[in-house]
Amino acid sequence: MKPFLFVGNFKANPVTREEVEQYQALLLRETGEKRWQHAEAALAPSFAHLALMESLPPSFSLAAQHGFPEKNGPYTGEVTFAMLKDLGVGYVLLGHSERREYFHETNDTVAVRVDSALKFLLRPIVCIGETKEELDAGKRNEVLAAQVRSAVQGLSKMQAEKIIFAYEPRWAIGSGMTPTSKEIQEIKDTLRSLLGETSRERIRILYGGSVKDSNLEEVCLAPGMDGVLVGKESLSPYEVVKMMERAEKYYDHKQ
Ligand code: 13P
């Protein structure tokens, strides 16, 4: 059984170095260097704070929120996957809906980044999901299919299996609304059916959008998702640890 994966997306938070240092100190205190058996976490602070987050507890690793596909060169303002790898980053979020909405990312720009991130040995976490308008127009499955197909297109089976998909409906982000457990399970099945026979069980699929400790079971564990992508609640180390504990217990009972 794949371990539960908690991914924390800090977005453009917090602001000061002091807050980042405090976060780390609290996280270390709360985990007490614990190694979870069935759960692992990746935290994605802003680029400015990545290098400050070097003392994470054992089950935690670093993720980036975005990255540039070329190795290096005359690309003012960009941070490349090669630089991220060198900093000790293990995962990179790609195509987050905020990047699609505010920074013109498309399925095509995401596909180029998936390919490059894999070359630089980063695990891409490809964010997919429909807007409220697409949902209301009955286009959810069509949108998801285009996003998934574009991300895996041209990759070998081995490469494709390294991708992690995060289903994050745009309308659920920061809104307190979530799809029902049953809907999430159906979406997971739809996504799995889009993937090749053999990759189906290997590719991890996360849920994101208004996740908190009190709904973790409903939106992730019960529908059989492989983990969560969490925004606001990941800014509290206490909440992160609570969710890791809850997942660990759930997996323990299932064994
Ligand atoms: P919230 O958990 O704050 O809804 O954000 C979800 C998200 O966008 C994570 O990438």
Side-chain angles (χ1 to χ4, degrees):
M1 202 169 170
K2 291 176 286 248
F4 166 84
L5 178 62
F6 178 97
V7 183
N9 175 10
F10 291 7
K11 308 189 179 184
N13 300 295
V15 173
T16 65
R17 277 191 295 179
E18 197 185 341
E19 286 169 289
V20 177
E21 276 151 18
Q22 255 172 20
Y23 184 100
Q24 255 183 131
L26 275 176
L27 188 64
L28 281 165
R29 202 187 70 191
E30 286 302 299
T31 61
E33 296 274 321
K34 174 172 177 168
R35 232 174 250 283
W36 277 272
Q37 270 200 347
H38 308 294
E40 56 195 24
L43 299 178
S46 78
F47 283 147
H49 296 147
L50 272 172
L52 289 176
M53 301 262 299
E54 55 187 11
S55 18
L56 289 173
S59 299
F60 285 70
S61 57
L62 267 184
Q65 298 175 18
H66 172 60
F68 190 66
E70 295 298 329
K71 185 177 175 203
N72 63 313
Y75 306 105
T76 304
E78 292 300 324
V79 177
T80 73
F81 293 135
M83 293 168 185
L84 294 172
K85 184 70 192 168
D86 185 63
L87 267 183
V89 169
Y91 299 84
V92 61
L93 296 179
L94 296 176
H96 189 280
S97 66
E98 286 151 16
R99 297 218 54 94
R100 293 179 193 256
E101 186 173 344
Y102 308 130
F103 303 100
H104 316 296
E105 289 202 18
T106 62
N107 287 348
D108 289 344
T109 65
V110 172
V112 170
R113 281 171 166 74
V114 169
D115 199 45
S116 170
L118 289 169
K119 281 199 185 102
F120 290 104
L121 306 179
L122 293 171
R123 296 289 301 264
I125 303 174
V126 177
C127 304
I128 57 174
E130 78 286 354
T131 63
K132 181 77 172 69
E133 293 70 39
E134 288 162 346
L135 178 70
D136 291 344
K139 289 189 175 158
R140 173 160 65 193
N141 285 358
E142 190 186 317
V143 169
L144 293 177
Q147 291 171 333
V148 167
R149 290 204 180 102
S150 161
V152 298
Q153 196 176 11
L155 298 180
S156 69
K157 194 166 81 65
M158 241 171 68
Q159 284 175 314
E161 287 173 0
K162 297 211 164 66
I163 298 181
I164 297 162
F165 283 102
Y167 170 59
E168 273 205 324
R170 182 73 188 98
W171 52 272
I173 296 177
S175 66
M177 289 188 293
T178 58
T180 63
S181 213
K182 189 164 169 278
E183 271 178 299
I184 295 175
Q185 186 158 10
E186 280 164 12
I187 289 158
K188 183 195 71 183
D189 295 341
T190 307
L191 294 174
R192 292 229 179 277
S193 68
L194 289 168
L195 301 164
E197 278 290 309
T198 45
S199 307
R200 207 166 276 180
E201 293 311 317
R202 290 178 184 260
I203 295 183
R204 278 163 146 184
I205 305 179
L206 316 181
Y207 170 76
S210 296
V211 178
K212 51 190 177 191
D213 180 52
S214 59
N215 67 12
L216 185 72
E217 185 150 347
E218 189 188 334
V219 299
C220 171
L221 303 171
M225 301 301 266
D226 302 305
V228 280
L229 175 54
V230 183
K232 185 165 154 278
E233 295 289 307
S234 71
L235 296 172
S236 159
Y238 302 108
E239 296 305 317
V240 174
V241 172
K242 269 203 252 172
M243 288 190 240
M244 296 282 283
E245 289 290 342
R246 190 179 290 278
E248 176 91 346
K249 274 202 202 107
Y250 188 92
Y251 278 48
D252 249 352
H253 282 136
K254 279 199 96 174
Q255 293 225 319

